[in-house]
Amino acid sequence: MKASIYIEINDRGTLITKLKYLIPQNKPLFNIQDIDFQPQKGDKMYILPGVNIPRVKVKQFNEDNGTKTVRDLKTADYIFGSDKTQNEYFDAQGNRWIYKMPVADMEQLMAYFTSELDCDPTDVADLRDIIEAHKTVDENLEIYYAYSSMNALRDVINRRNIKVCDKYDDSNTYNMIDTEFLEEVEMLETLTIYNVNALINAVNAKNVTIDYEMFGQLKNMFESNDRDNHVLAMEIMANSNIIESLLFIEMLFKDHSGMMYDSHTRNHVNFKSLCNTIGKDKYRFNTDIDDIVKSLRTFNVLTADKLDILMKHYHTEIVNHGSSTFFKVKTITVADNVHEVLNQNYTYTVKDDYQPVAQDEEEVVEEQEVLEEELVEAVNTESLNIESVEEEPSFELADVNVIEEPVTKIVEEVVEEPQDVVETIQEEVIVEPNKEEESGDTEIDWF
């Protein structure tokens, strides 16, 4: 891992040069991969810091599967981390605003560090030596500095009228790696790190999954006046397949957090494990619709179908409260009595449609070639069975419509029959869509 040159200049002219390991806040420190985990007897697992998974459940999982949790990273067969893992390797100060400029610009300013900023010439010489050493291995070397240092550099730039890069006073947020963990970080960068979701799935694989029907039953239990029903519902939640049931677990927290918090069952080890796994505050179970989406994103289970379920239950809430972190107002209309005055429908678009990322051109060409090969094969089959041209074609109409002209050309080249036969084949290929497919019900069956 490459160290960066980081300088600090205080208002008394003290120059301090440090080597720091800087990570932009928007860049993940580790490549945590979503890979399926299939445990085998004798497997050794290492759980990185920042992972929320009940140790008691991992212990039971090890006993059931013959696996083992180890403390030595080098001996592990599987390493598990989460999106919070990297924070455990940063220093205690957290992220901070840092500035930078090309080394050539900094060298211009360094000529005035002693005369303008009262820096010790020895400190300036040390900085110069460090820069020279780093320039041999980094052609695009940049020097980093904090806000206080930026003010001192700005004074030199203005007083001496020195031309430097325009963005010398633009900052970005960085985290600094704690040097105590540097060796481990460098090792982890070369290893495969599994998303802890894979381990959670394996741990909960035999547990019940809360589906839409069971969600309704649990809601009824919470809405009853019998506290025993509340306890039983919480026990079912705590012992469910957490990731597969996550949407409905979060919805139950949103609708019945007060009853859960008032129940003594919230202190039960299994329910506390559930709360720990999905990041619920032990002093506050309140959950809003944005919290639900954030949770689904965290565990990589956010889908359009799940959003449909949220809309079914909470669209009125969204309408009443307007835009939020994850839900935005797209179109505004007016009340019916206003429409009556206008005698026309009126809408105002607040947010334009999202434009999906365009498919790569090479992928499109590749798919086109595959389609053509499939069509050639289909037409060859037709030519061998020319007497059965009235049979239903074996490929989709959508495929034909995509490259309609090449189909005709292929048919004419392959099928050496009289023109009337070719026309018959073409008519059979370009058929009407199946009516059942056209009128297929695309709505979700909620019950």
Side-chain angles (χ1 to χ4, degrees), residues 150-161:
M150 191 273 293
N151 286 333
L153 297 175
R154 178 188 286 152
D155 290 341
V156 175
I157 291 169
N158 292 337
R159 286 200 293 263
R160 293 292 181 169
N161 196 24

Side-chain angles (χ1 to χ4, degrees), residues 105-365:
D105 290 346
M106 183 61 72
E107 287 177 323
Q108 288 188 77
L109 302 180
M110 286 168 58
Y112 303 97
F113 275 12
T114 301
S115 60
E116 295 288 343
L117 302 178
D118 294 328
C119 293
D120 187 323
T122 303
D123 294 336
V124 177
D126 290 343
L127 172 58
R128 199 179 303 278
D129 290 342
I130 292 173
I131 288 176
E132 288 302 319
H134 279 72
K135 284 168 68 175
T136 60
V137 294
D138 189 352
E139 296 180 357
N140 300 313
L141 183 64
E142 293 178 308
I143 311 300
Y144 295 80
Y145 43 95
Y147 177 75
S148 58
S149 305
M150 191 273 293
N151 286 333
L153 297 175
R154 178 188 286 152
D155 290 341
V156 175
I157 291 169
N158 292 337
R159 286 200 293 263
R160 293 292 181 169
N161 196 24
I162 299 174
K163 179 65 177 177
V164 296
C165 65
D166 294 334
K167 296 184 177 181
Y168 81 95
D169 55 356
D170 288 350
S171 61
N172 290 293
T173 50
Y174 291 83
N175 289 293
M176 292 186 182
I177 297 176
D178 192 323
T179 53
E180 179 184 350
F181 305 120
L182 182 60
E183 183 180 348
E184 185 173 335
V185 168
E186 291 178 332
M187 182 186 301
L188 287 170
E189 287 184 322
T190 66
L191 301 174
T192 300
I193 303 177
Y194 285 67
N195 193 318
V196 69
N197 292 349
L199 178 56
I200 294 174
N201 270 331
V203 168
N204 295 310
K206 298 178 181 178
N207 293 1
V208 65
T209 296
I210 300 175
D211 57 14
Y212 196 86
E213 182 179 357
M214 184 177 290
F215 166 71
Q217 295 169 354
L218 294 175
K219 274 188 67 67
N220 290 336
M221 294 170 70
F222 278 117
E223 290 169 359
S224 73
N225 295 323
D226 189 344
R227 286 185 173 270
D228 289 342
N229 281 339
H230 304 170
V231 171
L232 180 57
M234 293 171 69
E235 289 177 352
I236 292 173
M237 291 171 63
N239 292 286
S240 66
N241 186 319
I242 295 175
I243 293 182
E244 294 297 325
S245 310
L246 185 60
L247 171 63
F248 299 115
I249 289 175
E250 292 286 6
M251 289 172 66
L252 289 168
F253 269 105
K254 173 172 170 49
D255 296 342
H256 306 289
S257 59
M259 292 179 180
M260 296 181 196
Y261 194 80
D262 289 341
S263 173
H264 61 83
T265 307
R266 69 184 173 91
N267 295 316
H268 191 278
V269 61
N270 286 343
F271 195 80
K272 288 170 71 174
S273 295
L274 166 65
C275 294
N276 187 46
T277 300
I278 63 178
K280 293 297 178 190
D281 191 318
K282 63 180 179 180
Y283 300 114
R284 177 181 173 275
F285 289 166
N286 292 2
T287 302
D288 61 31
I289 190 168
D290 277 341
D291 293 330
I292 296 177
V293 175
K294 182 179 178 181
S295 179
L296 296 175
R297 291 181 71 209
T298 298
F299 288 92
N300 297 321
V301 290
L302 178 62
T303 64
D305 289 345
K306 289 181 172 63
L307 287 177
D308 284 338
I309 295 174
L310 289 176
M311 291 299 100
K312 176 182 174 67
H313 284 264
Y314 306 119
H315 65 274
T316 302
E317 178 181 327
I318 295 173
V319 169
N320 292 338
H321 291 87
S323 293
S324 65
T325 303
F326 295 115
F327 295 92
K328 304 299 179 184
V329 174
K330 183 177 184 299
T331 305
I332 300 174
T333 189
V334 294
D336 288 344
N337 54 1
V338 178
H339 278 135
E340 290 171 2
V341 174
L342 299 176
N343 197 29
Q344 68 179 53
N345 187 47
Y346 177 84
T347 58
Y348 179 81
T349 300
V350 178
K351 189 175 180 63
D352 292 333
D353 287 340
Y354 170 74
Q355 298 298 327
V357 179
Q359 197 175 10
D360 186 64
E361 259 184 51
E362 292 183 5
E363 292 181 3
V364 173
V365 171

